Amino acid sequence: MKVLILLLSLALVLASADHHEHHHHADGASSYVVKSHDDLVSYRNACAEKVHAPAELVAKYKKWEYPDDAVTHCYLACVFEKFGFYDEEHGFDVHKVHVQLSGPGSSVDHSDETHQKIAQCAETHSKEHNSCAKAYHSGMCFMNANLNLVQHSVQA
């Protein structure tokens, strides 16, 4: 369950997309398919392997601990990419992150406070030049500001 919460929270981090960039993604949010716990586990494993994360870092990730280092930055960027929320060229898609958090079949109000919080984190870190660092800092911003929301959305 913690892995699911972690991965979903990472997805939320992706939601902290660049405020300017997220508008062109809006049409794709309606066709976005909410990812499952199994997807999260698969993404986590693939990304840990991709970035060559040592076992001690992987153990930290499972406990919601994300050190501010290059390996962790790229690990989170990879997870967000696999969720379909983030890409190096366009940054985050706030709409898709919001849809993931709302769950399958839910109606999403992209003008609500949750959406605004996600967008604010994305905007705050949108000028970073390193793609992995941008993903990491935006994601940590969102998770730190909305941990209760993230945990609730995963359990719902």
Side-chain angles (χ1 to χ4, degrees):
M1 183 62 156
K2 285 186 178 182
V3 171
L4 174 62
I5 292 171
L6 169 60
L7 293 177
L8 286 177
S9 63
L10 295 179
L12 290 177
V13 173
L14 294 176
S16 41
D18 183 351
H19 181 69
H20 298 293
E21 297 282 349
H22 82 274
H23 291 287
H24 85 280
H25 294 294
D27 295 338
S30 62
S31 63
Y32 179 78
V33 176
V34 174
K35 307 304 186 278
S36 70
H37 173 72
D38 289 341
D39 293 325
L40 287 173
V41 171
S42 172
Y43 301 161
R44 188 197 71 207
N45 292 336
C47 291
E49 185 175 319
K50 178 181 178 182
V51 302
H52 306 291
E56 60 271 9
L57 273 181
V58 173
K60 286 182 179 190
Y61 302 157
K62 291 178 182 180
K63 294 187 285 184
W64 290 68
E65 297 173 13
Y66 301 102
D68 190 354
D69 62 58
V71 172
T72 302
H73 293 181
C74 289
Y75 168 81
L76 287 181
C78 175
V79 170
F80 298 152
E81 289 170 0
K82 297 231 178 251
F83 264 94
F85 297 153
Y86 181 77
D87 70 62
E88 187 172 345
E89 182 180 348
H90 298 104
F92 286 97
D93 186 327
V94 175
H95 292 83
K96 288 180 180 178
V97 174
H98 198 172
V99 170
Q100 176 71 37
L101 289 176
S102 297
S106 296
S107 161
V108 178
D109 177 1
H110 292 297
S111 65
D112 70 7
E113 182 181 358
T114 300
H115 191 90
Q116 298 311 312
K117 286 180 180 180
I118 294 168
Q120 177 61 41
C121 284
E123 178 66 22
T124 300
H125 299 284
S126 66
K127 305 300 183 228
E128 291 191 44
H129 297 291
N130 178 293
S131 179
C132 291
K134 180 193 313 187
Y136 172 85
H137 290 115
S138 294
M140 294 306 295
C141 171
F142 185 80
M143 285 190 280
N144 290 334
N146 302 286
L147 188 57
N148 291 336
L149 173 64
V150 171
Q151 290 173 331
H152 175 72
S153 70
V154 176
Q155 295 171 354

